[in-house]
Each structure stands twice: as structure tokens, then as C-alpha cells.
């Protein structure tokens, strides 16, 4: 398998975690989102994904996009260890938690949104960081309540095993730290993150250890 992505991409980070958890060998292909490279806009990449977004997973004849669709594909083709519970109601709960991050929090703070705030809208770094922190606080406040209700051990977002919800939470918490958001009001989320980031599959997926990460990345 080939995974087209970027070391700091939250969506790519999710897929790296899932691949590691499933024990699936994969090859990283860099798509440099930084100016002036802007590799996501090149004709070669747009031929893979007309949306110009990462990640893209190539598995033989299949070219797959959208991180959650890719992870569900991995769940179907490599069912062990499972990232979704067997009971339908539990599966729905885990998907809801994952979507709360992937659809409600992350898109508002994505690189292209932050770039549009800066230019052409003219927002300075203070305004952009305030925007980022606002949506993190709004999303994490609700997610903290979910975690208090649904975590079985204070180390996983749902139940007592790693699920798709955890795969989505860790990259978002990583970015909250990177943008210096206040995460003190979310003790359950912080506890879950502290446990998960030390697990080998998560640690190997972290942005700072990716081959395209600069030496000063943290």
C-alpha cells in the first residue's frame, strides 16, 4: 500500500495510526502542502484526487480518499484488531464520536481554511489562533462530556479498547497542543490522550517521527 500524505495532516495522521494498529505494511509518499511546493495542486496529484486533498491510499488497483472511508476500508479488509465494536448501537456511538472530531471540529481548523482566513480575508495570527481555539473549545467541551459518559476506563474515548474514536481524537489533541489551546478544562480527554500517545501504533504515527518532518518539529 502507498499512503500519500503530509506529516502534520490530521487526516493522514489518522490513517497512519489505523495502518499501524492493523499491522499493515505501507509506503509513505510525501505530498508537501507548504508554499511554494503546494504539491496537492499539481496535475499529477489532482489525477489521483481531483479534490486536491490528502490522504490518498493506493492499494493495488484501488485509489481511495477521505480518511474515515480509508479506515473503514482497512476495517473491512483487515478486521483484526477491530476499530469498531460488534454491537450496532456501540458502532454507532463510536462513529458519532469520530465524526464529532472529523466533521465538526477538524474542517473548521483545516490548513486551507486557516489559509483563507489569512488571505484573502486578512486575518492576522492573533485572529487566526483565536478562531482555532474557539472551535477546539466548543468541540472539546462536548467531547469531554461524551468521554465522561462513554469511556470505560479513562484511557479510551469509548469503552476499554482502542476504537475509531481514539484514532480521530489523538491527532486533534496533538493540534490543540501545537496551537497552544487551553486543554486544562478537559481532564478526561487529556487522560485518554496521555495513554494513547504512548502506545506503539500511535507513537510511530506521530508527526514528529515522519520522514518528511523537519528536525525542529514537535
Amino acid at each position: 500500500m502507498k499512503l500519500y500524505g503530509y506529516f502534520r495532516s490530521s487526516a493522514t495522521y489518522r490513517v497512519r495510526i489505523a495502518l499501524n494498529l492493523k499491522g499493515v505494511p505501507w509506503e509513505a509518499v510525501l505530498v508537501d502542502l507548504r508554499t511554494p511546493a503546494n504539491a496537492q495542486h499539481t496535475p499529477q496529484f489532482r489525477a489521483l484526487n481531483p479534490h486536491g486533498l490528502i490522504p490518498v491510499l493506493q492499494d493495488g488497483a484501488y485509489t481511495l480518499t477521505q480518511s474515515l472511508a480509508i479506515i473503514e476500508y482497512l476495517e473491512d479488509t483487515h478486521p483484526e484488531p477491530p476499530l469498531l465494536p460488534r454491537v450496532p448501537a456501540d458502532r454507532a456511538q463510536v462513529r458519532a464520536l469520530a465524526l464529532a472530531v472529523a466533521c465538526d471540529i477538524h474542517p473548521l481548523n483545516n490548513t486551507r481554511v486557516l489559509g483563507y482566513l489569512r488571505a484573502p480575508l486578512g486575518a492576522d495570527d492573533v485572529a487566526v489562533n483565536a478562531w482555532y481555539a474557539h472551535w477546539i473549545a466548543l468541540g472539546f467541551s462536548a467531547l469531554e462530556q461524551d468521554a465522561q459518559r462513554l469511556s470505560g476506563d479513562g484511557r479510551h474515548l469509548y469503552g476499554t479498547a482502542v476504537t475509531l474514536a481514539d484514532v480521530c481524537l489523538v491527532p486533534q489533541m496533538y493540534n490543540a497542543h501545537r496551537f497552544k489551546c487551553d486543554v486544562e478544562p478537559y481532564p478526561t480527554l487529556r487522560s485518554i490522550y496521555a495513554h494513547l500517545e504512548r502506545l506503539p501504533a500511535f507513537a510511530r504515527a506521530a508527526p514528529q517521527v515522519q520522514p518528511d518532518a523537519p528536525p525542529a518539529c514537535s
Side-chain angles (χ1 to χ4, degrees), residues 76-96:
D76 290 339
T77 56
H78 299 80
E80 296 297 331
L83 296 178
L84 289 167
R86 302 303 183 197
V87 177
D90 294 337
R91 293 167 75 88
Q93 293 270 28
V94 168
R95 284 191 174 108

Side-chain angles (χ1 to χ4, degrees), residues 12-204:
T12 307
Y13 191 174
R14 294 173 200 145
V15 176
R16 290 196 301 259
I17 294 169
L19 286 165
N20 290 343
L21 287 167
K22 298 288 188 182
V24 178
W26 54 282
E27 173 189 349
V29 181
L30 168 63
V31 182
D32 193 345
L33 306 184
R34 294 166 290 193
T35 302
N38 294 321
Q40 72 274 28
H41 299 312
T42 62
Q44 294 89 342
F45 184 75
R46 291 285 180 140
L48 282 176
N49 185 4
H51 296 273
L53 298 172
I54 53 175
V56 173
L57 184 75
Q58 284 189 322
D59 183 19
Y62 299 107
T63 299
L64 307 172
T65 63
Q66 293 291 340
S67 62
L68 295 191
I70 291 170
I71 294 169
E72 293 250 10
Y73 170 78
L74 294 173
E75 182 77 352
D76 290 339
T77 56
H78 299 80
E80 296 297 331
L83 296 178
L84 289 167
R86 302 303 183 197
V87 177
D90 294 337
R91 293 167 75 88
Q93 293 270 28
V94 168
R95 284 191 174 108
L97 293 167
L99 292 169
V101 174
C103 296
D104 294 340
I105 302 174
H106 174 241
L108 289 162
N109 288 338
N110 203 358
T111 299
R112 61 178 180 171
V113 171
L114 301 184
Y116 192 80
L117 289 173
R118 290 188 175 97
L121 297 185
D124 61 15
D125 284 345
V126 172
V128 170
N129 289 340
W131 167 280
Y132 199 105
H134 170 76
W135 298 113
I136 287 291
L138 195 65
F140 276 14
S141 294
L143 207 60
E144 172 70 17
Q145 295 177 57
D146 289 332
Q148 291 176 5
R149 179 170 52 91
L150 297 172
S151 176
D153 56 8
R155 301 194 303 173
H156 302 87
L157 197 48
Y158 188 88
T160 59
V162 172
T163 68
L164 178 61
D166 299 308
V167 171
C168 291
L169 173 66
V170 166
Q172 195 63 65
M173 184 65 84
Y174 170 89
N175 278 338
H177 286 298
R178 186 164 72 91
F179 279 84
K180 298 180 170 56
C181 298
D182 181 13
V183 296
E184 285 301 310
Y186 321 114
T188 312
L189 297 183
R190 287 189 286 108
S191 175
I192 292 167
Y193 177 74
H195 168 70
L196 293 172
E197 70 171 340
R198 293 193 298 265
L199 300 180
F202 287 80
R204 294 198 310 274

